[in-house]
Amino acid sequence: MAAHKLVLLLAVCSAISFISCDVDVPIKEMVTARTTIEKARQVLAEKYDPANLNQAVEELNKSHGFVVNKKASDAKASAIKATDYAEAAIQISLPQAVDGNLEESKTLYQEADKLNAAKSAPDQFAAAEAAITKTETLKSDHNLWDAFAKSKEAVTASGQAKEAALAKLPELNEELNAMKKDVEFLKSQKLNDQQKQQIDEASSKLDKAGELLGQNNAKEAAALMSEAGASINTVKMAVQKISARDKIAELRKEAELLKKERGSEYAGDDIAAITAALNEAESLLEQEKTEEALKKISEAEQLLASAKEKTTKGLALEKAKSVEKMLEEARKKDTKNRFKTEIDNAATMIDDGKKLLEDGSYTESLAKFEEAEALLNSIGIASEKDRLGKDGSTISKEGKRMYRVIFNRKNRDCLWRIAGKVYKNERLWPLIYVANKDQIKDPDLIFPGQKFIIPEIPEKEGKSDKSKLEEKSESGKDAGGATPETKTDSTDEE
């Protein structure tokens, strides 16, 4: 109602200029009254002293009425009364408005503090605190108008601090969830009793922190999370230390294995650097510098990956040359094109391997070359089997010619007869004996089921090795000219 009256009053004031020519209008008094009423409204007089404010508006309306009726003196008197009522409203409302704003700003400030604004929104929180403190100082000095202005700033700053802190709650919840995951991971590890107790306590604190966050009490939640985090980190570092030692041992083993796989030829510097990095990591662990040790372990892992790549590349390049040579030899030997399809397939594999090698896919390239090598080896074995004929020998997976001793009551196997079968020359039995000394303790005694390596007949060198072996065979005869027709022990019949 008072607002409606004031709007009407302002409208009437705009018409004074048309009347002032005929009447001695009290413009100064009326403007003062209107300004004072506006100030009263600013300090919330409608809330704290509506009676005086309404009376001031009423008197100002009367003043305009008197002006319309050309009663200048009455208009002036009413304007002065309006000012007095408005001043009274200000005197009552201003202190209460300052106190009201202070109370509101402090409430917002406390809520912001509860939300941990000091950490999540430090600038806004500091501004709110400064505005509240300044307001109280001005109020104590009875500088109420300045205190009122500053109190409004305090309300705004406290509200901003609260909103900024609220916006950070999701991040705090994410941090809480990450810590809970750490706890679950650590519970799955092998911990001692003390560490188990630490993790259980940390878990309880995190659960309580979750409840507090649900109540927007981020300050207490953050404190509990900090305590839990300290325990989690202590246990985590202990677990990481054990894990780091295991990792160091694993990397050393891999580096040694790489050496055996000719890594020293292709990545010697990297392997030396791996050893140095792991030695340093162990030293750092002894100094309780786990984080730094983990960095060194990571460095060793990267070096190992590089060394493996260099080694694989070197082996692939080498294998490419060897399988190309094998391919060429296979084509030369396959004069009747019995294995043309298989040889062509091997050639395709080699071409694919070369492309992979050019693309930097060294592991895949090496695998292709090895696949081609296996195919070419199988072709060679098949050719060898054709060459060997039906002499009772076989070819092992390693490509060696083998003979398995069999039991025959009428025509027992012996080194003499085996040499006759595989070499077409019984006098070459010492070749078999020498090649299988680990199995043959007595050349006169062999057993069914034994598998003997059948070595190739040595190439001629000066006096032929074949002649030498025959002479050795002759010298092995007894005085009666007997040959070592080795007896086959029948106790292990198949």
Side-chain angles (χ1 to χ4, degrees), residues 8-17 30-31 34 60 64:
L8 180 62
L9 178 60
L10 294 174
V12 173
C13 287
S14 64
I16 292 177
S17 58
M30 293 179 73
V31 170
R34 184 179 65 179
L60 187 55
H64 282 84

Side-chain angles (χ1 to χ4, degrees), residues 208-314:
K208 181 61 177 177
E211 294 175 10
L212 291 169
L213 284 177
Q215 302 165 12
N216 286 349
N217 191 347
K219 188 175 184 178
E220 289 185 30
L224 286 172
M225 287 169 65
S226 178
E227 292 174 10
S231 297
I232 290 170
N233 286 334
T234 298
V235 177
K236 186 189 288 186
M237 293 298 283
V239 170
Q240 284 180 337
K241 189 173 182 179
I242 296 171
S243 177
R245 292 193 185 282
D246 291 342
K247 191 64 179 179
I248 288 171
E250 179 187 333
L251 292 173
R252 285 194 189 282
K253 186 176 179 181
E254 287 191 48
E256 286 301 316
L257 182 61
L258 188 60
K259 281 184 184 180
K260 293 177 182 178
E261 294 174 348
R262 300 175 62 194
S264 297
E265 293 179 39
Y266 301 107
D269 291 342
D270 284 346
I271 292 175
I274 291 168
T275 302
L278 294 177
N279 288 342
E280 191 171 349
E282 284 183 329
S283 176
L284 289 166
L285 286 175
E286 292 298 327
Q287 301 171 46
E288 301 297 331
K289 297 179 180 179
T290 307
E291 289 294 336
E292 294 178 41
L294 291 174
K295 289 179 182 178
K296 281 294 173 184
I297 292 172
S298 178
E299 180 183 325
E301 285 182 298
Q302 293 172 6
L303 286 166
L304 181 61
S306 173
K308 284 181 177 180
E309 183 178 28
K310 290 177 182 178
T311 301
T312 305
K313 180 181 179 181

Side-chain angles (χ1 to χ4, degrees), residues 32 73 136 154 174 176 183 230 238 250 291 321 336 339 354 388 424 431 449 457 480:
T32 300
S73 59
E136 290 177 330
E174 287 181 10
L176 177 66
V183 165
E250 179 187 333
E291 289 294 336
K321 293 179 181 178
K336 296 181 180 180
F339 303 102
K354 287 180 178 178
L388 291 174
K424 309 302 180 187
L431 272 177
I457 300 173

Side-chain angles (χ1 to χ4, degrees), residues 128-141:
E129 183 179 14
I132 290 170
T133 301
K134 184 64 175 176
T135 298
E136 290 177 330
T137 300
L138 291 168
K139 179 186 173 184
S140 298
D141 295 341

Side-chain angles (χ1 to χ4, degrees), residues 319-358:
K319 187 66 72 175
K321 293 179 181 178
S322 66
V323 292
E324 283 185 320
K325 186 176 180 181
M326 288 176 68
L327 179 66
E328 184 180 350
E329 291 174 354
R331 281 176 171 159
K332 286 180 180 178
K333 290 180 179 179
D334 191 34
T335 55
K336 296 181 180 180
N337 290 329
R338 291 188 64 250
F339 303 102
K340 184 178 184 307
T341 301
E342 290 80 1
I343 291 173
D344 288 344
N345 288 340
T348 300
M349 292 175 191
I350 293 170
D351 288 339
D352 291 342
K354 287 180 178 178
K355 290 175 184 176
L356 289 166
L357 190 59
E358 290 175 2

